[in-house]
Amino acid sequence: ARRRRARVVRIRRGMVALAAAIDLAAAAAAMAEAGEASLLPWVRWTPPQDQWLRLNPPSGAKLFRAGNQAIGKTYALMAEVNWRCTGTHPYYPTKAPPIEVWIVCTSWAQSVAIQKKFWDLAPREELTSKTRQRFRIEDGWGRDNPAASFLNGSIVRFKTTNQGPEALAGATVDYIGIDEPPDEEVYRELRKRLLRSGGQMGLTLTPINRPCGWLREEVKAGRVDEVHTRLEPAALIPIGSDEPLNDS
């Protein structure tokens, strides 16, 4: 009888363990499926990213200045863009969709990399079918006026500064994201695109390879609000984690 009871206990424990494993597998599958839809809800930000994302700049422009390929500046910018396009910014109110956003970078190769980061965080179910179908890892949405459209009418256009300031003139835009230092002339032309809409600008960059003294003066004059961080251990540990980011 004692052996029989022990056997029953082992069977029950086995059934409980099996049920737990099934629940865990189901949860993992649900997370994977949700990850296919968007990685944004699963992101844990580092303190500098979180500080920049929470900043509603009185100047109308906010700068995230940090070392290259370490803090995740561009991913923070892509989160800001997705939240604005869907009207779901968690930290402060933004213009109700639909809105038009420009993401401006220095080269086509950089644009493709940024389009991939935007795609990583974009909520698939809120993008148009054409946008979902046209994206490719190799070249984003292509060289011919690359853009991503949302079902609510918001649109994100990817542009490069090598088109020159003339190519960026004339339009009215609600938000502009700039990744890496632009020329001063390009920056000032882009600020003009926001005047009529009262829109804002986000800049994420490492101030190297281009003259940035003019941007320093913009910060000193209060025309740009800045978040700056050094490459220190505390800046690399996501909020709620004990381990720093890695490049795997």
Side-chain angles (χ1 to χ4, degrees), residues 46-173:
T46 62
Q49 288 174 317
D50 185 68
Q51 181 184 357
W52 187 81
L53 288 167
R54 289 177 182 273
L55 174 61
N56 186 3
S59 67
K62 60 180 181 180
L63 166 65
F64 191 175
R65 179 167 63 92
N68 198 28
Q69 299 292 325
I71 301 295
K73 304 182 300 296
T74 304
Y75 269 119
L77 178 59
M78 294 303 101
E80 179 87 12
V81 168
N82 273 287
W83 287 335
R84 285 175 177 268
C85 284
T86 55
T88 58
H89 202 297
Y91 299 131
Y92 53 85
T94 60
K95 182 178 179 180
I99 64 170
E100 178 162 343
V101 175
W102 286 4
I103 303 298
V104 182
C105 53
T106 57
S107 68
W108 169 247
Q110 185 191 14
S111 178
V112 171
I114 290 174
Q115 289 176 55
K116 171 62 167 61
K117 292 179 179 180
F118 172 85
W119 176 255
D120 286 342
L121 300 185
R124 306 287 197 273
E125 72 281 1
E126 298 193 39
L127 298 174
T128 64
S129 58
K130 183 178 179 180
T131 294
R132 295 196 306 269
Q133 292 164 7
R134 288 185 58 218
F135 179 80
R136 298 194 308 170
I137 297 296
E138 297 82 4
D139 60 357
W141 283 281
R143 284 180 174 270
D144 186 17
N145 298 318
S149 299
F150 289 77
L151 293 172
N152 64 9
S154 292
I155 186 168
V156 181
R157 302 186 188 277
F158 298 88
K159 297 179 175 290
T160 61
T161 57
N162 59 19
Q163 295 172 291
E166 298 82 7
L168 303 172
T172 296
V173 188

Side-chain angles (χ1 to χ4, degrees), residues 152-194:
N152 64 9
S154 292
I155 186 168
V156 181
R157 302 186 188 277
F158 298 88
K159 297 179 175 290
T160 61
T161 57
N162 59 19
Q163 295 172 291
E166 298 82 7
L168 303 172
T172 296
V173 188
D174 299 297
Y175 187 80
I176 294 177
I178 302 177
D179 194 72
E180 298 309 332
D183 293 332
E184 182 179 5
E185 186 179 6
V186 168
Y187 162 81
R188 299 206 179 281
E189 185 60 49
L190 291 173
R191 288 293 299 249
K192 292 177 184 177
R193 301 305 107 226
L194 299 166

